[in-house]
Amino acid sequence: MTAQPPLPIAVEEGAVPLGSAVSLVEDADGGRVFLHGQLVYAWDDGDTPTRRFAAAKLADIKAASVADIAAGFGIDPGTLWLWRRDLKASGVAALVPDKRGPRGASKLTGTLISDIKGRRARGDSFRTIAAAVDVSTFSVQRALSADADTDEGTETPAAPATKTAPVDGTSAVDGTAGAADPGPREVRLPVLPDPVDRSGERAAARAGLLECAAPAFAPAARVPLAGLFLALPALETTGLLGCSREVFGALAPGFYGLETILTGAVFAALAGEPRAEGATRIDPVALGRVLGLDRAPEVKTLRRKTAALAGTGKAGDLLTLMAAQHLNGSDDEGGDLAAVLYVDGHVRAYQGRKKIGKVHSTRLKFPVPATEETWVADAAGAPVLVVMAEPGAALTGELRGLLPTLRTIIGDGRRVLVGFDRGGWSPALFQHMAGKGFDVLTWRKGTTKDIDASHFAEVAHTDGHGETRTWTAADTAVEVPVGTTGEVFAMRQISRTVNVPGGGSRQIHILTTDTGLPAGEVIHKMGARWRQENYFRYARMRFSLDSHDAYASTDDDAERSVPNPAKRKAYQQVLAAKARYDKAEADTDAALLAARTPAPGTATVLITNTEHNAITADLIAAETALEQAQAAHQEIPARLPLGEIAPGQQVLETETKLLTHAIRMAAFNTASTLAREVRTNTGYARAGHEAHALVRQALTGSGDIDPSQDGYLTIRLDPLPTQRATAAIAELCDHLTATETRYPGTDRILRFEIKNRAASPTN
């Protein structure tokens, strides 16, 4: 017998699938639910109880998941749970919506609207205006909207009802809201419709006829990861996209262009997946909606595009150009970000099987196969530049080689304070930096005499957050020796007395060539160097700082001169022989003294040559061994070609790592900029402690994409779990909207809003 083909899920055009077996159709006549192509529920337009009954029963019989049913009916899963509970407890009668009471006259009189618009024109936030005129922030938004009715005592008309899910969380057919004065009805958007069809462009890209696909946005509600749109104004300030266009130009023709690849990589990093492999853990359709595409690029595409960019060898140029743009701006205090630069080395350990040179890791406390990097941070501790160091390179040499690059980035002859730790201690380097127009800020290394207590006095400094700190310090001038020729270099020394574990105290000393800064500010800036260490720790946890984004390697330069490890071993033998000689000398002196001292009652003592030789035999043997060890040490060359010491040694590919560093630095600086905006432009009470956490929460939140108005792209975010967080992000949205940032690759200006929590459904 011929098998009967399976029935379609829906038999009507335009049906919305709810899972794999159910479809929903809603139009002007009402709604219908099909189960495996069979009509199971139907209701007329306005028949709210039956509609709710159908949704509840579909969940009861497990025809589809609760999430799919809730999304299809335009409600929250919690609302669906309430409907099922009420139906089970009291039957269909419990699903009849409560009758809404009459509303009073609107407070938005013509005079009040004019007052609100005037305050907004002066730059007041929605919250400030609402408090001043005694209305809600949503009434302020109504007054400022283009369609606000300025007639005294009238209401703003609601948008015409449609049968798609609304953006304020209410049911499309119910039309109910859970609070008075919910504000104007927004344009209703379909819940997660299909993205714009890009099949034609993909076919053209496969044929090599498309340079790249431009972003195109479909109207959609409840879009996951819609909060990532908030990052775009801050991302623009990092210079990643603009500098990439200048350095790389464009990628080879294909569906995904340069801006899409970089923007998607930053979005993924902000969403918690900084590596290319993270694309497997992010819904490509959800991220694609934020990028204006049908789906985001997958792992193999990201790796291929990144490899193409790295193959140009211009990743270092990109970082330098981004650093120049970053340092030519100003921080939130209006100060110069390049006034202080912090430099530090970072060891990125390698765990693979390739033969990579070993480097001592301060964090791990033992030598490991690794790649060394030199990082530069601005006055606020934000990373601005990273360069790859040669294996085994010291921070002193890296600093000396980095100065011309820093001068090019800064772009003028102003003196810049460069802070670093004791790893860069070198009076010769200090003298060289001062001659090149850079001031030094570092800790003094080695032992030195304590400063007399009479030189100490109380100093203070007030930081950018208004917090004042005080220290007891001495401000003196010192001279540090340069080399072994007796030359000295004059520097300023700031000394402090600190407590040590177990009791007592000791003095620590800061050296600088800047004579104009107050002593308190010098201490503050030296302590602020830990911001760079904090970035390393944060980036290891959240931005995969030490990950290996490329596993390729090349042979190291076999002719490169490197320290001879045999020289160090021979020197250790010299030290051991010297210690044995010193001990033998002390023992011999004691033995000779005992032999020469006569016993009581003895007038003289006779020591024969044989006895003398026996006493001094160990000393002579130790002296001979010391001379032999010194001679062997002198014969060993201090440096040798790498090929003679470690044949076959390799170095990891660096261009891909530098490129990923640029992307993740942009992501970190983007999040930091948004956190700073939360602290300075919102009334969030705990912004000083929770700004970064609030930003991470907002960036991964859902919302609506509304491209209905030409020239604009409106992003309407869903409320956050708490009212205070929602209010803070609402103020942030106002501030970001004022920047008039364009979505990359389009002419649409971004506008940000957040939905009214009071308008969320309560049934």
Side-chain angles (χ1 to χ4, degrees), residues 570 573-574 577-578 623 625-635:
Q573 293 176 356
V574 170
K578 182 67 168 60
E623 183 178 9
L626 176 59
E627 291 175 351
Q628 291 174 350
Q630 290 175 336
H633 176 259
Q634 291 294 330
E635 292 176 359

Side-chain angles (χ1 to χ4, degrees), residues 381-693:
V384 296
L385 180 66
V386 57
V387 297
M388 293 294 177
E390 288 190 358
L395 183 58
T396 52
E398 290 301 304
L399 275 167
R400 188 183 291 266
L402 194 60
L403 295 182
T405 302
L406 294 181
R407 179 55 63 194
T408 301
I409 291 172
I410 295 167
D412 52 39
R414 55 184 162 163
R415 296 188 70 85
V416 174
L417 188 64
V418 180
F420 46 90
D421 62 11
R422 291 181 178 88
W425 172 265
S426 170
L429 172 65
F430 304 159
Q431 189 177 48
H432 175 77
M433 292 177 64
K436 296 297 183 180
F438 293 90
D439 285 317
V440 175
L441 180 66
T442 188
W443 297 104
R444 182 159 191 167
K445 186 177 181 180
T447 58
T448 184
K449 292 182 179 180
D450 285 347
I451 304 299
D452 189 82
S454 61
H455 291 87
F456 284 81
E458 186 175 279
V459 297
H461 176 70
T462 302
D463 62 17
H465 299 290
E467 185 175 353
T468 300
R469 295 178 175 85
T470 59
W471 303 271
T472 299
D475 192 346
T476 58
V478 297
E479 292 180 339
V480 294
V482 180
T484 58
T485 61
E487 183 182 1
V488 295
F489 180 61
M491 300 186 74
R492 180 186 180 190
Q493 178 174 284
I494 309 296
S495 305
R496 289 180 54 209
T497 300
V498 296
N499 297 326
V500 296
S505 62
R506 66 182 181 93
Q507 290 186 3
I508 58 175
H509 311 283
I510 301 171
L511 291 183
T512 182
T513 55
D514 190 316
T515 58
L517 287 177
E521 188 171 357
V522 172
I523 296 174
H524 171 75
K525 291 186 181 301
M526 190 71 248
R529 194 199 69 80
W530 277 100
R531 294 174 177 174
Q532 192 171 24
E533 300 287 352
N534 292 337
Y535 166 73
F536 292 152
R537 183 170 180 268
Y538 182 90
R540 276 196 299 268
M541 294 186 297
R542 297 191 177 275
F543 289 102
S544 298
L545 175 68
D546 293 340
S547 65
H548 300 289
D549 298 289
Y551 299 95
S553 63
T554 57
D555 292 335
D556 203 342
D557 182 8
E559 300 300 322
R560 179 167 60 87
S561 177
V562 296
N564 187 354
K567 188 79 170 179
R568 178 185 293 272
K569 293 180 180 179
Y571 183 67
Q572 295 298 325
Q573 293 176 356
V574 170
L575 294 179
K578 182 67 168 60
R580 289 192 296 269
Y581 173 81
D582 291 340
K583 184 179 184 302
E585 185 178 32
D587 293 342
T588 301
D589 289 343
L592 287 173
L593 181 62
R596 288 170 53 191
T597 303
T602 304
T604 60
V605 174
L606 178 65
I607 302 176
T608 65
N609 289 338
T610 302
E611 292 174 338
H612 182 272
N613 292 338
I615 293 174
T616 59
D618 290 342
L619 177 61
I620 294 173
E623 183 178 9
T624 303
L626 176 59
E627 291 175 351
Q628 291 174 350
Q630 290 175 336
H633 176 259
Q634 291 294 330
E635 292 176 359
I636 297 175
R639 302 181 72 88
L640 287 174
L642 176 65
E644 296 183 18
I645 297 175
Q649 182 169 298
Q650 296 180 305
V651 292
L652 296 174
E653 192 268 349
T654 60
E655 285 293 318
T656 300
K657 190 60 184 178
L658 288 175
L659 183 60
T660 57
H661 274 326
I663 293 171
R664 292 164 193 172
M665 286 164 53
F668 175 83
N669 290 333
T670 294
S672 298
T673 299
L674 291 176
R676 184 170 62 247
E677 296 299 336
V678 170
R679 290 193 298 267
T680 58
N681 292 304
T682 73
Y684 194 58
R686 294 188 56 82
H689 301 280
E690 300 177 357
H692 278 275

Side-chain angles (χ1 to χ4, degrees), residues 6 117 197 260 278 368 477 484 490 492 503 657 667 687:
K117 290 183 177 180
D197 183 20
T260 299
V368 293
T484 58
R492 180 186 180 190
K657 190 60 184 178

Side-chain angles (χ1 to χ4, degrees), residues 157-404:
T162 65
K163 298 305 178 216
T164 54
V167 298
D168 58 2
T170 61
S171 169
V173 175
D174 297 350
T176 60
D181 192 20
R185 302 282 295 190
E186 305 287 356
V187 176
R188 300 190 178 191
L189 305 173
V191 175
L192 298 180
D194 292 336
V196 176
D197 183 20
R198 314 302 290 269
S199 56
E201 291 168 292
R202 287 188 177 276
R206 285 193 294 270
L209 304 176
L210 181 69
E211 181 179 353
C212 65
F217 297 93
R222 311 284 178 82
V223 176
L225 301 178
L228 290 173
F229 283 100
L230 293 172
L232 289 171
L235 176 59
E236 185 176 10
T237 64
T238 66
L240 174 66
L241 301 182
C243 295
S244 297
R245 288 192 296 268
E246 184 174 345
V247 172
F248 299 114
L251 287 169
F255 186 77
Y256 297 106
L258 177 65
E259 289 183 335
T260 299
I261 292 295
L262 296 179
T263 304
V266 172
F267 282 171
L270 293 173
E273 298 294 346
R275 303 190 64 189
E277 291 81 352
T280 62
R281 295 181 286 273
I282 298 179
D283 182 5
V285 176
L287 185 57
R289 292 181 189 273
V290 182
L291 294 173
L293 302 173
D294 52 351
R295 62 187 295 117
E298 298 182 3
V299 176
K300 62 179 181 180
T301 303
L302 290 173
R303 286 178 173 167
R304 186 172 63 251
K305 299 288 187 180
T306 302
L309 293 175
T312 63
K314 298 180 179 179
D317 297 338
L318 171 63
L319 284 164
T320 302
L321 199 60
M322 289 175 60
Q325 177 169 325
H326 181 97
L327 293 178
N328 287 331
S330 296
D331 61 9
D332 55 341
E333 303 170 23
D336 188 357
L337 288 173
V340 183
L341 296 178
Y342 297 105
V343 181
D344 197 8
H346 175 70
V347 175
R348 179 166 56 92
Y350 172 73
Q351 297 86 21
R353 298 181 180 179
K354 298 181 185 298
K355 188 177 181 180
I356 306 298
K358 289 188 176 182
V359 179
H360 180 79
S361 172
T362 304
R363 182 170 64 91
L364 300 176
K365 303 187 186 306
F366 57 85
V368 293
T371 299
E372 290 186 279
E373 303 166 348
T374 303
W375 285 76
V376 181
D378 64 15
V384 296
L385 180 66
V386 57
V387 297
M388 293 294 177
E390 288 190 358
L395 183 58
T396 52
E398 290 301 304
L399 275 167
R400 188 183 291 266
L402 194 60
L403 295 182

Side-chain angles (χ1 to χ4, degrees), residues 98-109:
D98 297 333
K99 184 177 180 181
R100 301 181 63 188
R103 297 177 59 183
S106 173
K107 293 183 180 180
L108 296 181
T109 63

